[in-house]
């Protein structure tokens, strides 16, 4: 695998195929946890970590356990269980090792299990037939793309708190429309190739 | 169960619509409401999983220990999702190419786990089935409405609305519209109450 194909995976994950704003996966946390800048950074970091870990574990399990046993149709059940277990494990480990990080992430950690970005990426990696290196690159860039979208949105929403918005649009409607306008910008870069 | 409870459950899909009022399951709503057929297909697939998982979780609610209930629910839901996945792949190949990637994601659709936790784990089988039907059809109705609007706008040349950006914008505008209608209804209600109660 050469450098340009890695670079195009990174650009796609970050911008042109951004998981939230172009593929519209993982919107619940994107809308729910984008009210404050610092909590959005924490959520982004937690999701990225779980995403990379679960993609790699799911990749290994699929190719070395499910395929040899011909149990591929169990993919969805096995993957969601792996993700749930990993999140629970991370919860326990972080509580022991780094209580400060645990406290800053604590609330969001449990929510990651039901984040479709995590399961979506694990499924994508299998569907696209990536190898291990591509899997790692893809999941890191998707996670960073998620964080980027979340942080940008939080920055805008913090400013929006101060502006006058018509009453029916307050809260989620204006956030959705803002996200739509951001999505136009992200999709506009879609023609870029290397 | 009383008649009022029955009515409340049956109308739950409309009054507390999972998409526009509870704001659950936004990912498939935005991603796959680009055409009516995609929207209805995914809506019905989700409704099927919701009804089946509600029934089974309600049946097993006294057997599942409280501490491991979430993993147990997820396994039940994932089983039905796998059934739908295999069925669509075998019998509806066209639908499979357009919404195939989103079918496994029904597992993490918050509507299903939300109803399991909030309703099916506390109520009897029949009520849970009714709740599943009502919520499932409410979801299908909402995503179908979005699909109709977006396909219509796309058909008159505004193809932007069939992309993700359009999904966000249409969803935002619809939600604002519903908020507006609620405000008017509430304002009328308080006004009527005021006039009736006062002097």
């Amino acid at each position: 695998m050469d450098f340009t194909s890695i670079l195009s995976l990174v650009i796609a994950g970050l911008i042109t195929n951004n998981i939230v704003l172009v593929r519209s996966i993982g919107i619940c946390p994107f809308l729910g946890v984008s009210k404050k800048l610092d909590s959005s950074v924490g959520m982004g970091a937690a999701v990225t970590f779980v995403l990379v870990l679960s993609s790699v574990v799911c990749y290994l399990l699929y190719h070395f356990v499910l395929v040899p046993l011909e149990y591929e149709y169990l993919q969805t059940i096995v993957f969601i269980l792996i993700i749930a277990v990993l999140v629970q494990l991370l919860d326990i480990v972080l509580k022991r090792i780094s209580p400060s990080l645990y406290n800053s992430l604590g609330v969001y950690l449990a929510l990651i299990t039901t984040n479709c970005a995590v399961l979506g990426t694990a499924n994508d990696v299998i569907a696209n037939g990536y190898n291990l290196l591509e899997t790692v690159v893809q999941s890191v860039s998707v996670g960073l793309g998620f964080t980027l979208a979340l942080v940008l949105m939080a920055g805008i929403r913090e400013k929006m708190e101060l502006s006058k918005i018509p009453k029916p649009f307050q809260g989620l409607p204006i956030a959705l429309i803002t996200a739509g306008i951001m999505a136009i910008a992200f999709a506009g870069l879609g023609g870029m190739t290397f | 169960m009383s008649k009022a409870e029955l009515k409340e459950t049956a109308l739950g899909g409309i009054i507390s619509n999972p998409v526009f009022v509870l704001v659950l399951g936004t990912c498939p709503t935005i991603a796959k409401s680009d055409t009516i057929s995609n929207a209805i297909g995914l809506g019905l697939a989700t409704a099927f999983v919701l009804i089946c998982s509600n029934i089974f979780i309600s049946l097993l609610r006294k057997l599942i220990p409280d501490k491991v209930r979430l993993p147990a629910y997820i396994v039940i839901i994932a089983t039905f999702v796998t059934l739908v996945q295999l069925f669509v792949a075998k019998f509806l190949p066209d639908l499979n190419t357009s919404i195939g990637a989103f079918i496994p994601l029904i597992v993490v659709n918050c509507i299903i786990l939300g109803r399991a936790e909030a309703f099916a784990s506390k109520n009897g089988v029949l009520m849970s089935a009714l709740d599943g039907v009502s919520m499932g059809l409410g979801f299908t109705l909402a995503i179908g409405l979005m699909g109709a609007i977006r396909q219509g706008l796309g058909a008159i040349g505004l193809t932007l609305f069939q992309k993700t950006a359009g999904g966000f914008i249409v969803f935002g505008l619809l939600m604002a519209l519903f908020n507006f209608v609620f405000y008017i209804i509430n304002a009328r209600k308080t006004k009527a109450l005021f006039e009736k109660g006062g002097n």
Side-chain angles (χ1 to χ4, degrees):
Chain A
M1 191 175 159
D2 52 352
F3 180 70
T4 44
S5 61
I6 292 186
L7 193 67
S8 63
L9 270 186
V10 172
I11 297 287
L14 270 178
I15 298 169
T16 57
N17 219 353
N18 187 288
I19 190 136
V20 179
L21 291 171
V22 180
R23 301 185 52 208
S24 68
I25 296 177
I27 293 173
C28 303
F30 173 68
L31 293 174
V33 201
S34 62
K35 282 183 192 136
K36 288 212 171 69
L37 206 55
D38 46 347
S39 58
S40 72
V41 175
M43 181 67 175
V47 167
T48 308
F49 187 75
V50 175
L51 213 152
V52 176
L53 204 65
S54 65
S55 296
V56 171
V57 174
C58 287
Y59 170 87
L60 293 175
L61 209 78
Y62 183 82
H63 284 287
F64 294 105
V65 178
L66 292 184
V67 171
L69 293 174
E70 296 182 349
Y71 278 158
E72 288 99 331
Y73 62 91
L74 288 179
Q75 187 184 339
T76 308
I77 302 178
V78 170
F79 281 16
I80 190 70
L81 276 181
I82 292 176
I83 293 167
V85 169
L86 278 178
V87 171
Q88 195 65 45
L89 212 65
L90 196 67
D91 199 270
I92 297 168
V93 170
L94 270 187
K95 211 188 272 180
R96 273 288 163 84
I97 293 179
S98 164
S100 62
L101 188 64
Y102 176 79
N103 284 335
S104 59
L105 293 183
V107 200
Y108 312 118
L109 215 53
L111 289 176
I112 296 174
T113 311
T114 52
N115 183 342
C116 19
V118 178
L119 183 63
T121 308
N123 279 339
D124 261 8
V125 162
I126 303 298
N128 293 341
Y130 288 150
N131 61 30
L132 190 57
L133 177 64
E134 284 169 320
T135 303
V136 174
V137 173
Q138 164 84 358
S139 49
V140 169
S141 49
V142 166
L144 291 179
F146 177 81
T147 313
L148 178 71
L150 205 62
V151 169
L152 284 176
M153 188 69 182
I156 296 173
R157 280 179 93 171
E158 277 193 352
K159 293 272 176 210
M160 231 152 39
E161 295 272 293
L162 306 170
S163 46
K164 266 193 176 171
I165 297 165
K167 212 174 170 200
F169 279 94
Q170 275 169 14
L172 276 182
I174 193 72
L176 282 165
I177 290 167
T178 313
I181 296 168
M182 280 163 76
I184 297 176
F186 272 70
L189 297 166
M192 286 202 316
T193 43
F194 290 91
Chain B
M1 78 193 82
S2 69
K3 218 171 179 183
E5 266 180 323
L6 204 67
K7 195 178 158 195
E8 198 191 309
T9 312
L11 291 178
I14 306 289
I15 293 167
S16 49
N17 187 283
V19 175
F20 290 113
V21 182
L22 303 179
V23 202
L24 295 173
T26 38
C27 307
T29 311
I30 288 171
K32 284 299 155 207
S33 61
D34 49 350
T35 65
I36 300 179
S37 59
N38 282 354
I40 301 283
L42 195 64
L44 290 181
T46 309
F48 171 79
V49 175
L50 182 58
I51 296 166
C52 294
S53 66
N54 257 10
I55 293 174
F56 267 74
I57 287 165
S58 171
L59 279 173
L60 296 171
R61 69 183 189 280
K62 283 172 190 147
L63 291 177
I64 297 174
D66 203 41
K67 271 187 184 163
V68 293
R69 67 180 194 286
L70 287 181
Y73 295 167
I74 288 178
V75 174
I76 293 172
I77 295 166
T79 309
F80 289 111
V81 169
T82 306
L83 277 181
V84 172
Q85 218 178 334
L86 295 175
F87 177 83
V88 172
K90 173 83 182 164
F91 294 107
L92 302 165
D94 286 346
L95 200 63
N96 195 37
T97 43
S98 59
I99 65 167
F102 272 81
I103 293 179
L105 296 184
I106 295 176
V107 179
V108 283
N109 190 324
C110 342
I111 296 171
I112 298 175
L113 200 59
R115 292 325 287 174
E117 177 79 0
F119 200 94
S121 60
K122 298 188 187 85
N123 288 284
V125 180
L126 283 178
M127 284 295 267
S128 300
L130 184 67
D131 179 73
V133 172
S134 167
M135 284 288 166
L137 291 184
F139 176 70
T140 311
L141 202 67
I143 191 172
L145 176 70
M146 294 246 320
I149 292 173
R150 287 176 69 186
Q151 192 168 18
L153 287 170
I156 58 170
L158 299 167
T159 49
L160 170 75
F161 284 100
Q162 289 195 294
K163 300 205 171 77
T164 303
F168 278 115
I169 293 172
V170 170
F171 193 23
L173 289 176
L174 275 178
M175 208 185 269
L177 180 71
F178 287 130
N179 280 350
F180 186 61
V181 172
F182 277 131
Y183 283 135
I184 290 179
I185 292 174
N186 280 344
R188 280 221 180 124
K189 261 188 196 160
T190 35
K191 206 180 159 196
L193 221 68
F194 209 63
E195 278 165 359
K196 212 167 95 186
N199 305 318

